[in-house]
Amino acid sequence: VERKNANLLESAWNPADTTIIETDLKPIDTLLGGGIELGTKIMLLGESASGKTTISLQMCERLCSHGYTVLYIDTENTVSESLINNIGLNKYLNNSSKNNGCMFIYKISSYKDVETIIDQYLNDEQIKISAIFIDSFAGLINDCYTEIDNKHQSIVNSNTNFESRPASLFMAKYSALTSRYKVALVMTNQYRMKLDFRNNQSSSKEFGPKAVKYNTDTLIKISQHSYL
């Protein structure tokens, strides 16, 4: 009897191996089918000042309260000490003691720095992170333009060659790694104006190329009137 594919059969998906963590934010838990599933990619999309950062931090607080460790990348320097204290995350900051929730925050915005930090935590045998928050993905893309001399832009296509390639590579890499390591990836994103000068038109579009959306398992749109 040939058993060449036995290892593949044994590694088939088993619902019992799925970990779902409730956020206690009822609309979010309902949309996510009960809570954050480790290993999935989630995007919170909304206008500026719609509450994406606050919701993300509330989700972090719930994860930490359940004993999980989260990594939070603040690309736009929007997380303040007062906000951390108000949500109750201060007691979890850099708390690496065993059996307790922990949160690590980094205020960085370049792809290279973000990748370095994430890779270090994914490969750390002492600290097991369960979720990575990137707030926001738009901040990573905007940081590309600090090297303005290398920018190559099309007037009609708002996803320029300059920004699309690093964003696509980043999403492809961490879509695979978060699935492999069973780490949830939660990102915030926002809209920007897309201008079409040829047809004298404008439209609202989220930051990032199509690869960002295609590598996201769940897209949650948040408005300033959302009730959580």
Side-chain angles (χ1 to χ4, degrees):
V1 178
E2 292 190 34
R3 293 180 56 84
K4 293 182 180 179
N5 296 323
N7 59 331
L8 296 179
L9 295 174
E10 292 170 358
S11 63
W13 178 74
N14 183 351
D17 296 332
T18 301
T19 300
I20 297 178
I21 309 167
E22 294 183 2
T23 68
D24 292 339
L25 301 173
K26 291 185 178 180
I28 295 293
D29 286 342
T30 299
L31 292 171
L32 295 177
I36 298 175
E37 180 181 340
L38 300 188
T40 60
K41 283 75 65 180
I42 303 165
M43 180 171 288
L44 306 178
L45 176 64
E47 300 285 354
S48 177
S50 58
K52 301 183 296 296
T53 294
T54 300
I55 293 172
S56 296
L57 291 174
Q58 289 174 331
M59 293 167 73
C60 287
E61 194 279 331
R62 288 290 81 201
L63 287 169
C64 289
S65 70
H66 288 294
Y68 293 94
T69 297
V70 301
L71 171 63
Y72 199 99
I73 308 294
D74 178 12
T75 68
E76 298 182 319
N77 197 29
T78 55
V79 178
S80 64
E81 183 178 357
S82 60
L83 184 57
I84 289 291
N85 293 338
N86 289 338
I87 293 177
L89 278 165
N90 51 306
K91 59 187 174 183
Y92 299 115
L93 286 182
N94 305 320
N95 177 27
S96 57
S97 59
K98 294 182 178 180
N99 302 320
N100 289 314
C102 181
M103 182 180 187
F104 298 99
I105 299 180
Y106 290 84
K107 293 179 177 291
I108 48 180
S109 57
S110 75
Y111 283 108
K112 181 178 179 181
D113 292 340
V114 171
E115 285 194 41
T116 297
I117 291 298
I118 294 178
D119 290 349
Q120 285 179 355
Y121 278 93
L122 287 177
N123 291 294
D124 194 309
E125 297 181 357
Q126 302 298 320
I127 301 174
K128 174 63 175 73
I129 60 170
S130 295
I132 300 168
F133 286 76
I134 299 178
D135 181 24
S136 70
F137 200 81
L140 283 178
I141 292 176
N142 284 332
D143 191 72
C144 287
Y145 294 103
T146 56
E147 298 182 29
I148 197 69
D149 291 339
N150 296 325
K151 178 180 174 182
H152 174 68
Q153 183 174 3
S154 165
I155 278 181
V156 177
N157 183 7
S158 66
N159 288 325
T160 68
N161 292 335
F162 183 76
E163 70 181 42
S164 294
R165 181 169 174 77
S168 298
L169 291 175
F170 182 91
M171 283 303 301
K173 174 181 178 179
Y174 290 106
S175 177
L177 287 180
T178 51
S179 296
R180 181 190 306 171
Y181 287 97
K182 296 299 181 183
V183 174
L185 177 61
V186 183
M187 300 170 291
T188 67
N189 202 355
Q190 62 192 49
Y191 297 102
R192 63 169 169 195
M193 192 64 69
K194 177 181 179 182
L195 302 177
D196 183 348
F197 294 108
R198 294 178 182 176
N199 300 307
N200 195 28
Q201 295 178 344
S202 64
S203 59
S204 184
K205 185 183 183 301
E206 64 270 19
F207 277 75
K210 293 180 180 179
V212 176
K213 182 182 292 185
Y214 292 159
N215 281 288
T216 301
D217 297 314
T218 305
L219 175 64
I220 299 177
K221 294 185 178 180
I222 298 174
S223 70
Q224 294 181 342
H225 305 291
S226 298
Y227 176 76
L228 295 175

